[in-house]
Amino acid sequence: MTGTGPGDREAQVRAEVLARALPYLRRYAGDTVVVKYGGSAMVDTSLSTAFGHDIALLKQVGVNPVVVHGGGPQISAMLKRLQIESTFIDGLRVTDAAMIDVIEMVLGGKVNKQVAGLINRAGALAVGISGLDGGLISARRLQRRAREGGVETDRLLDLGFVGEPTRIDPRVIYALSGSGLIPVIAPIGVGEQGETYNINADTAAGAIAGAINASRLLMLTDVPGVLDGEGKLIPELTAEDARRGIASGMISGGMIPKVETCLEAVRAGAKAAVILDGRVQHSCLLELFTEAGPGTLIRGA
């Protein structure tokens, strides 16, 4: 006769959790999920460890995760250490030739391998690459207009080697995922003349998610998601709802580019995108395998 002690009750709770997750496991089996990794989830030790385990678990249950990571704080720290001063225009870092070498070293080297290491230590096989590898991310100089008094002008900003994707060649992603490996991608692109461009990690993740028709783009952030006028989380938006939210001012500030990235990913081929609270442990698993994840899901229709 089996016992009914605390250990047995805990086991029963775990069994119930697995049973409830089963329909979601079936739903995403064989699907590709792009995860943009950054913010608190990247610098908090407990969150980063949990992230590595979550990505490993996704692979083990039949999901194909693709990780795109940022590294702004690490870049700033290295530039400061090398006594290279940063200049910002409209919140964007101006990147000269000397700085892009440092950025490539930090993003494509140290940070990229650290993120892959988190996943490897959790029991999966992750491979760190950058957008330069296999011609994954073709890029051009970012076209951004200056703003004066909050109003966009006709003057183009010169941000140096800050880029935006022009084309994604996903063959290297398919090759790695098909071999049982997890691609971990640094957001660096290559221009027509072989020049290197630093690309915003959100933008790179959105472009990749659209190009490979990902089932989900999960964007880990330091906010709960999209909030309504009363500060309450909006669990789900259609693309049209999101555009109306931007036009009305309900979606404002730093949330606008994140929502626009989600809209572009969905327009380009991703089934849905989620602005996810990366400060919540196991947020990726909660989003994919429970009824209500900690974020805002944006669909194409």
Side-chain angles (χ1 to χ4, degrees):
M1 181 176 179
T2 59
T4 58
D8 297 301
R9 286 193 293 272
E10 182 179 345
Q12 185 175 5
V13 169
R14 290 180 178 178
E16 289 175 356
V17 169
L18 289 172
R20 291 174 183 173
L22 183 59
Y24 301 97
L25 293 171
R26 288 173 174 165
R27 176 191 298 177
Y28 292 106
D31 284 2
T32 298
V33 173
V34 176
V35 183
K36 184 270 175 173
Y37 178 52
S40 294
M42 202 169 188
V43 297
D44 181 287
T45 302
S46 61
L47 290 174
S48 62
T49 300
F51 172 82
H53 281 87
D54 290 354
I55 298 300
L57 177 61
L58 289 179
K59 191 68 174 180
Q60 289 161 358
V61 298
V63 180
N64 293 312
V66 175
V67 177
V68 181
H69 64 81
Q74 293 91 334
I75 291 170
S76 296
M78 181 58 74
L79 291 173
K80 183 177 180 181
R81 181 177 174 184
L82 297 175
Q83 299 182 337
I84 299 175
E85 291 191 10
S86 297
T87 301
F88 290 86
I89 300 177
D90 288 355
L92 298 170
R93 191 197 308 268
V94 179
T95 303
D96 59 21
M99 199 175 291
I100 193 64
D101 287 342
V102 176
I103 290 172
E104 184 175 356
M105 175 181 68
V106 174
L107 276 184
K110 182 177 181 180
V111 176
N112 186 252
K113 306 316 173 190
Q114 285 177 340
V115 176
L118 290 172
I119 301 167
N120 288 329
R121 287 193 295 275
L125 293 175
V127 176
I129 62 174
S130 80
L132 305 178
D133 295 307
L136 173 57
I137 304 177
S138 297
R140 66 184 175 197
R141 188 165 294 207
L142 178 66
Q143 302 291 312
R144 182 69 63 86
R145 296 187 183 278
R147 302 181 71 88
E148 294 180 4
V151 178
E152 192 174 84
T153 69
D154 292 331
R155 181 171 59 87
L156 290 176
L157 297 175
D158 183 4
L159 299 169
F161 292 95
V162 176
E164 58 186 356
T166 57
R167 187 175 68 90
I168 303 295
D169 185 341
R171 286 179 293 176
V172 66
I173 294 176
Y174 295 148
L176 292 172
S177 294
S179 299
L181 305 173
I182 299 172
V184 176
I185 303 167
I188 303 168
V190 60
E192 290 185 353
Q193 305 303 317
E195 67 275 29
T196 298
Y197 286 106
N198 178 28
I199 300 172
N200 177 275
D202 289 353
T203 304
I208 289 170
I212 63 177
N213 303 120
S215 178
R216 287 290 186 274
L217 165 63
L218 304 181
M219 293 180 57
L220 299 187
T221 67
D222 287 343
V223 295
V226 179
L227 307 180
D228 64 17
E230 298 179 353
K232 295 180 180 178
L233 178 67
I234 302 174
E236 185 171 334
L237 290 167
T238 65
E240 185 57 35
D241 290 336
R243 285 190 284 267
R244 281 199 298 263
I246 293 173
S248 70
M250 181 192 74
I251 299 172
S252 60
M255 184 57 68
I256 292 177
K258 294 185 183 300
V259 171
E260 288 178 337
T261 294
C262 292
L263 290 172
E264 178 57 26
V266 170
R267 185 204 64 77
K271 292 181 181 177
V274 186
I275 298 173
L276 198 58
D277 194 342
R279 301 168 300 179
V280 176
Q281 278 210 4
H282 307 298
S283 55
C284 292
L285 301 185
L286 289 169
E287 175 59 38
L288 294 175
F289 300 142
T290 67
E291 293 181 4
T296 300
L297 183 142
I298 298 176
R299 296 185 184 275

